[in-house]
Amino acid sequence: MKITKYESFLVPPRWLFLKIETDEGIAGWGEPVIEGKAATVKTAVDELMEYLIGKNPMNIEDHWNVMYRSGFYRGGPILMSAIAGIDQALWDIKGKYFNTPVYQLLGGKVRNSIKVYSWIGGDRPAEVGAAAKEMFDKGFTAVKMNATEELQYVDSYKKIDAAVKRIAAVRESVGADIGIGVDFHGRVHKPMAKILAKELEPFHPMFIEEPVLPENNEALREIANHVSIPIATGERMFSRWDFKKLLVQGYVDIIQPDVSHAGGITECKKIISMAEAFDVAAAPHCPLGPIALAACLQVDATCHNAFIQEQSLGIHYNKGTDLLDYLMENDVFKYENGYVKIPEAPGLGIEINENHVRKMAEIGHNWRNPLWRHTDGSVAEW
Ligand SMILES: [Mg+2]
């Protein structure tokens, strides 16, 4: 089998889909995207695909190594997202060739379903209590919310109190049984992060996420020594080598590699298995589209330490277009009692509605994350 051609599709709300075709009529889909730099990743995909045209799509491990190692400069969000989407499409082809879901080719599944969580409250969390109740009534057993708006390095306790009030409202509205992930979103710097974490502790968060920016991961020690809340991070880390330092430092409890950012199925399976040897859990990041989620579920199926999966249905970013719109059968991600079943169809387990993809690619998108500034005019972390 040979790779004959590929096409990429920039589609709303903020995604990039990739279709790789072969001379045997089997096509695979991937989602190579970094939010806000989709066109840059598209160009990186074009550069990487130059090598892959004419090659046998079955040699995924070798292709991965060529894409990663042959360019001298490596790693980072753009290159690793481009590799990720190509890798997903190659696995999709391989699964379809053997008429089996990808998880079978990765060793078989250790679970039939995985818990999912739903986002509440958007970028600037306000009425989160009611939103949490709505998700609870829909059957979700876990939610995630942003902790706070922008915070200065040292900021007022009024903002801390407001954050605590919102999380208290969520806990009050859904009871003790629901998991509440609280995303600091890298918005909080070390001086305030330990205060905020300490104040949230009585409300028993399921985890706090990116309590500091990943480039400040050594500060996790301070936070881990202040609170017993599980610490999650990793959506802005892109390879085994990025995660190695974090795991050796020993202050992370949950890693969140993104299967569309961190080198795809091939690399994320390895990252998560590496974390297993540190007794660290995995909750793959996925505020993205249906191909990214399908790829996550194939990895989750085979990783013992994966315990929950992010998914984007109804997320605040999905304005006008949502997770299921590009699928032929939109019950493939049917959530039941807070869990989603591992898809059993060949490849990634989904069928893309190509006509709809083509139609929406004519609209495209130019999604950028917002630019926030502090009161003094300096740039704030979003
Ligand atoms: Mg996050």
Side-chain angles (χ1 to χ4, degrees):
M1 188 160 40
K2 280 194 173 73
I3 296 170
T4 49
K5 65 180 218 182
Y6 74 98
E7 254 182 291
S8 46
F9 305 92
L10 203 61
V11 292
R14 54 178 193 161
W15 304 331
L16 181 72
F17 295 166
L18 169 70
K19 182 188 182 191
I20 296 182
E21 293 181 57
T22 65
D23 60 354
E24 296 199 14
I26 300 173
W29 289 83
E31 195 169 326
V33 70
I34 201 92
E35 304 92 302
K37 293 280 186 289
T40 314
V41 177
K42 183 178 185 295
T43 300
V45 167
D46 290 337
E47 289 176 343
L48 292 168
M49 286 304 299
E50 269 178 34
Y51 167 82
L52 285 173
I53 295 293
K55 300 292 189 303
N56 183 345
M58 305 295 259
N59 301 332
I60 299 174
E61 192 70 36
D62 183 55
H63 296 329
W64 195 96
N65 273 281
V66 169
M67 290 189 286
Y68 182 77
R69 294 177 192 275
S70 74
F72 193 74
Y73 297 101
R74 60 196 60 178
I78 304 301
L79 293 177
M80 296 308 282
S81 298
I83 292 175
I86 294 170
D87 179 84
Q88 292 165 2
L90 295 180
W91 277 109
D92 196 25
I93 290 169
K94 192 167 203 156
K96 287 170 178 167
Y97 178 83
F98 287 114
N99 196 31
T100 190
V102 166
Y103 73 72
Q104 292 290 13
L105 303 170
L106 296 172
K109 61 183 177 181
V110 296
R111 58 175 54 80
N112 298 316
S113 61
I114 188 159
K115 192 185 272 195
V116 285
Y117 65 80
S118 193
W119 266 92
I120 52 169
D123 278 341
R124 295 184 174 271
E127 301 300 319
V128 282
K133 182 69 173 48
E134 197 188 321
M135 290 305 161
F136 178 70
D137 292 341
K138 281 184 183 165
F140 284 100
T141 58
V143 294
K144 192 166 90 178
M145 59 188 285
N146 278 316
T148 175
E149 301 177 2
E150 65 274 21
L151 272 191
Q152 258 290 8
Y153 280 80
V154 175
D155 211 315
S156 76
Y157 277 82
K158 196 175 152 198
K159 287 190 185 171
I160 298 285
D161 291 345
V164 170
K165 257 192 203 146
R166 284 190 296 268
I167 281 120
V170 172
R171 181 55 79 207
E172 165 133 18
S173 80
V174 294
D177 247 6
I178 294 282
I180 307 172
V182 184
D183 194 348
F184 286 24
H185 221 257
R187 286 172 194 169
V188 190
H189 297 275
K190 185 183 165 201
M192 300 308 284
K194 56 185 177 180
I195 298 170
L196 183 55
K198 188 88 187 155
E199 295 285 329
L200 296 182
E201 199 170 21
F203 303 98
H204 298 162
M206 176 169 60
F207 56 75
I208 51 172
E209 174 172 324
E210 283 194 334
V212 289
L213 288 168
E215 50 266 50
N216 299 328
N217 271 344
E218 67 285 341
L220 294 179
R221 182 178 62 173
E222 193 80 10
I223 295 155
N225 287 336
H226 265 73
V227 295
S228 59
I229 309 168
I231 293 174
T233 194
E235 71 187 62
R236 288 185 267 186
M237 299 171 67
F238 308 104
S239 70
R240 278 165 284 168
W241 295 277
D242 287 355
F243 279 93
K244 174 171 71 170
K245 295 165 212 145
L246 179 74
L247 292 167
V248 169
Q249 282 166 353
Y251 302 108
V252 70
D253 302 294
I254 301 159
I255 57 158
Q256 302 173 299
D258 187 311
V259 181
S260 274
H261 298 342
I265 290 171
T266 302
E267 184 68 357
C268 285
K269 165 81 173 158
K270 292 174 185 176
I271 292 168
I272 295 171
S273 295
M274 189 167 80
E276 187 183 353
F278 290 84
D279 211 13
V280 165
H285 179 249
C286 191
L288 298 170
I291 307 169
L293 178 58
C296 285
L297 295 177
Q298 296 297 327
V299 174
D300 293 332
T302 72
C303 291
H304 187 260
N305 52 333
F307 82 105
I308 201 165
Q309 177 60 55
E310 181 171 30
Q311 55 78 39
S312 77
L313 194 64
I315 200 172
H316 45 293
Y317 305 115
N318 292 357
K319 293 213 174 73
T321 305
D322 212 333
L323 181 67
L324 306 174
D325 297 356
Y326 293 100
L327 296 173
M328 295 300 280
E329 289 171 18
N330 65 11
D331 63 350
V332 65
F333 299 135
K334 206 162 112 195
Y335 306 137
E336 270 174 43
N337 303 320
Y339 285 75
V340 62
K341 287 210 168 64
I342 305 300
E344 296 289 344
L348 298 178
I350 52 170
E351 201 186 335
I352 294 294
N353 182 342
E354 189 171 332
N355 286 339
H356 189 62
V357 169
R358 289 185 182 282
K359 199 175 93 191
M360 297 307 277
E362 286 171 23
I363 299 166
H365 72 83
N366 191 28
W367 190 86
R368 298 282 185 268
N369 65 240
L371 169 62
W372 287 1
R373 289 186 183 275
H374 294 297
T375 314
D376 64 6
S378 61
V379 174
E381 294 289 342
W382 168 72

